[in-house]
Amino acid sequence: MNLEKLFGSKTKVDILKYLLFRRQWISMRALETELERTFPAIKKQIDSLNEAKIIDVDKEWQWRSISLKPQFYDNIKSIFFSGLKQDLIDLFDTYEVMIHKYFFGKRFGVALDMDLIVVYKNLEKQQIDVMKEAISEIFRVYFIDTVSVVFMSMEEREKRYRLADRFVLQILRFYPVN
């Protein structure tokens, strides 16, 4: 999903991602530093979001404090999580010869202990490291620094299934075998 096209500006998208996934009640100067954009670019997009009545700009402090309006928070977060999920699916599609299955977990609203589970075919450690870095980069773009990802070989998954491993059975509860 191309969020920049949907929202009309990369700076606007980064502001919304920051407010959703990092923190609220931030000043424009702090956003300028965090997003590495110019102050006029930040101010233009903040003014646009304020005119759209998506954010609150508290002017009572010495600096302006910006936050998403609570009534829009969940809806906008849902759109951004859809974008995050699609970015991960696109990544997994590029590695489809290496990946057997993948499962979205707690960060995506599924009551699993992990955020993401990747079951791979025969991979070398170096290939796994490249994939881990690509996944980490996708989450970093969304200002999500901490994510729990499990990489498991097909053989390990089958072995753990035969041993009635709680984690593997939990995955099957939410993602039954087709």
Side-chain angles (χ1 to χ4, degrees), residues 49-149:
L49 289 167
N50 195 28
E51 286 174 25
K53 299 184 185 247
I54 300 292
I55 61 170
D56 282 323
V57 180
D58 185 358
K59 299 175 184 177
E60 293 192 22
W61 296 78
Q62 280 184 314
W63 62 91
R64 293 179 178 203
S65 182
I66 302 152
S67 67
L68 278 171
K69 289 192 175 190
Q71 63 266 34
F72 298 116
Y73 185 87
D74 289 335
N75 292 330
I76 293 173
K77 189 172 185 176
S78 175
I79 291 169
F80 278 83
F81 262 112
S82 294
L84 171 61
K85 195 173 189 179
Q86 189 58 54
D87 290 346
L88 290 166
I89 290 169
D90 292 345
L91 173 71
F92 296 144
D93 286 347
T94 63
Y95 290 107
E96 71 181 321
V97 296
M98 298 179 218
I99 295 176
H100 175 66
K101 288 189 175 205
Y102 52 89
F103 307 97
F104 295 101
K106 66 181 173 189
R107 196 169 292 270
F108 298 93
V110 179
L112 291 172
D113 294 336
M114 297 293 152
D115 295 322
L116 189 61
I117 299 107
V118 179
V119 179
Y120 60 88
K121 298 174 186 173
N122 295 320
L123 288 180
E124 301 291 324
K125 182 178 177 348
Q126 183 180 11
Q127 293 169 312
I128 293 172
D129 290 342
V130 168
M131 201 177 308
K132 283 180 181 178
E133 183 55 38
I135 290 169
S136 293
E137 182 56 34
I138 288 171
F139 279 98
R140 270 194 295 273
V141 166
Y142 285 82
F143 298 103
I144 300 172
D145 295 326
T146 306
V147 63
S148 54
V149 180

